[in-house]
Amino acid sequence: MKILGIETSCDETAAAVVEDGVKILSNVVVSQIDIFAEYGGVIPEVAARSHLEAMMPVVKKALNDASCTWDDIDAIAVTYAPGLLGSLLIGTLTARTLAILHNKPLYAVHHLKSHVYANWLELDKQRENCLNPSERAQTESSSDTLKGARPSLRSSEDPVLSSIAPVFPLLALVVSGGHTQILYMPAHNQFEIIGTTRDDAVGECFDKVAKILGLPYPGGPSIAKAALDGDADKYHLPHPKIEGLDFSFSGLKTAVLRAVQKELGLPISHPSHDLKNHLSTQQVADFAASFQKTAVEILCEKIEMALEKYPEVKSVVVAGGVSANQALREALPKAYFPAPSLSGDNGAMVGAAAYYEIKSGVEPTDPYSLNIYPRISIN
Ligand code: KG4
Ligand code: ZN
């Protein structure tokens, strides 16, 4: 089954063709990072306009790169929530129009679900790692996850792939620019939110700390790069005192701000946008490394707590833009991570998520009435 996945929830215009939820036939991502680096963040109206310009060329390139015509495409999948309203609108209007025009079933996919399913993409190329390898055998090929699947899809189940896929029940740590959540997944396409941030998302925190340090947007990759030359133990930053599995990241951002002001001998009233002018390259590197270490520790602590609370869990998957972070990958060596190029927003993960929705018996959506939801939760 070949699915065309379309993604425009934020500032990437993306389309991809994915076969059977794992094999990427094409994956085209046009990023607007260059535009927004100048402004230090995304401007929603500009993002929507850029999506409009890039969308159809990106879809055409995705089909071309996959050597597909419309006849080869079995379904279209698109991100309908959450994200920027104008951005979501361009992707969904495109997908709805194409579905009607080419008479294809249309699937509306939640953005966080797509990020999670990036972990099933190119599984054959990924390293084998799983919390409990001996239990890998009883994976998703078990019949209950196929209940409700269309008979024609069952034959595409690849026994080799399902032996190296994440094993259910699993925990998904979703870490992106807009979200920080721990999801409990008893089976494909079933999500329970067991932990969430009470304020900022961890990616947002990387972005805000980068701004204080004068590092370019997006902050995550800039901080990771600067941290390579820094001493992660130079500055002690406190962990938030949040009980249970919830997160809080706004205090960490403020802690960095106060530590920078203190280091420079400036009062707390000193404007944050001016601090970068006083910092040396080494101080920036040390703050980046100390902040990154603390953010990673906070994420790992909560995952460990969640594993204690749910001892039946067999795999951990990490998803979302921050899953590209090398320090986080090293801190969770047994977890599944998408290929770094698939950590950020892309169309392939939308195609993968839709495949597992179809396998779980989800019906296509009506292309004439599909709505968008900028702030809706995964379940
Ligand atoms: O998933 P994503 O591409 O978009 C959203 O759905 O939000 O995530 C973007 C976030 C940004 O905050 C960016 O700074 C962060 O992911 N990010 C990183 C890294 N690469 C991207 N954070 C830490 N380390 C990275 N290497
Ligand atoms: Zn995303």
Side-chain angles (χ1 to χ4, degrees):
M1 162 169 268
K2 294 190 180 77
I3 302 180
L4 172 72
I6 294 176
E7 152 64 37
T8 63
S9 67
C10 189
D11 57 350
E12 259 96 29
T13 316
V17 179
V18 175
E19 191 169 356
D20 296 339
V22 289
K23 193 168 178 209
I24 299 178
L25 301 185
S26 66
N27 192 21
V28 183
V29 181
V30 171
S31 174
Q32 302 171 14
I33 280 177
D34 290 350
I35 304 173
F36 298 125
E38 241 176 83
Y39 302 99
V42 178
I43 301 166
E45 290 77 7
V46 178
R49 189 165 283 273
S50 306
H51 284 310
L52 189 57
E53 282 172 13
M55 189 75 263
M56 278 318 291
V58 165
V59 167
K60 281 189 185 146
K61 184 161 168 41
L63 290 174
N64 274 344
D65 288 359
S67 304
C68 284
T69 66
W70 280 106
D71 283 345
D72 303 314
I73 299 298
D74 297 295
I76 299 174
V78 65
T79 312
Y80 78 103
L84 300 173
L85 186 135
S87 295
L88 290 168
L89 205 55
I90 304 302
T92 50
L93 281 173
T94 305
R96 290 167 62 186
T97 309
L98 291 172
I100 294 166
L101 210 60
H102 299 285
N103 195 24
K104 304 290 177 190
L106 176 64
Y107 291 86
V109 182
H110 191 280
H111 186 59
L112 298 195
K113 191 188 282 191
S114 301
H115 271 306
V116 169
Y117 274 102
N119 280 284
W120 273 260
L121 286 168
E122 298 197 306
L123 261 182
D124 47 338
K125 293 186 195 162
Q126 287 193 33
R127 66 210 148 98
E128 283 192 34
N129 48 11
C130 170
L131 281 182
N132 193 344
S134 63
E135 288 173 282
R136 221 183 259 145
Q138 353 147 347
T139 55
E140 51 186 12
S141 56
S142 67
S143 60
D144 60 342
T145 61
L146 286 171
K147 251 180 217 157
R150 295 168 179 193
S152 61
L153 288 177
R154 290 183 189 220
S155 56
S156 63
E157 186 76 1
D158 180 333
V160 176
L161 284 182
S162 54
S163 73
I164 54 173
V167 185
F168 294 102
L170 62 80
L171 293 179
L173 174 66
V174 181
V175 281
S176 72
H179 296 84
T180 304
Q181 293 192 328
I182 304 179
L183 307 171
Y184 179 86
M185 286 182 74
H188 272 306
N189 205 39
Q190 291 177 25
F191 300 88
E192 185 193 338
I193 302 169
I194 59 169
T196 193
T197 183
R198 297 194 183 167
D199 39 59
D200 292 353
V202 61
E204 187 180 356
C205 192
F206 269 88
D207 295 338
K208 286 178 174 171
V209 168
K211 226 171 185 175
I212 295 171
L213 300 178
L215 296 167
Y217 175 87
S222 317
I223 293 226
K225 192 166 166 227
L228 292 174
D229 302 319
D231 174 3
D233 298 317
K234 183 77 192 270
Y235 302 104
H236 177 74
L237 300 165
H239 290 207
K241 292 186 180 61
I242 301 273
E243 280 182 25
L245 299 176
D246 280 352
F247 299 93
S248 165
F249 280 99
S250 76
L252 179 56
K253 168 204 65 194
T254 310
V256 174
L257 176 63
R258 297 287 173 253
V260 172
Q261 288 164 330
K262 189 171 166 214
E263 173 76 14
L264 296 174
L266 294 166
I268 59 169
S269 56
H270 196 92
S272 61
H273 64 81
D274 178 60
L275 296 170
K276 58 179 182 286
N277 302 321
H278 302 269
L279 287 166
S280 70
T281 309
Q282 191 56 50
Q283 282 172 320
V284 169
D286 291 342
F287 273 113
S290 302
F291 159 71
Q292 177 176 258
K293 179 185 168 212
T294 311
V296 167
E297 278 171 0
I298 293 168
L299 295 172
C300 292
E301 259 166 37
K302 294 289 172 165
I303 277 295
E304 270 162 35
M305 275 175 69
L307 285 170
E308 269 171 37
K309 193 167 172 199
Y310 297 89
E312 72 277 22
V313 160
K314 296 200 175 68
S315 306
V316 173
V317 307
V318 188
V322 182
S323 72
N325 187 273
Q326 191 56 33
L328 181 60
R329 287 171 182 254
E330 283 163 19
L332 292 171
K334 288 183 175 172
Y336 284 81
F337 283 82
S341 61
L342 299 170
S343 285
D345 294 346
N346 63 80
M349 66 188 192
V350 183
Y355 175 77
Y356 286 99
E357 279 197 357
I358 295 168
K359 275 185 44 158
S360 307
V362 173
E363 291 296 326
T365 193
D366 178 5
Y368 288 97
S369 62
L370 170 63
N371 223 328
I372 55 167
Y373 297 90
R375 296 178 65 85
I376 205 171
S377 138
I378 195 166
N379 55 7

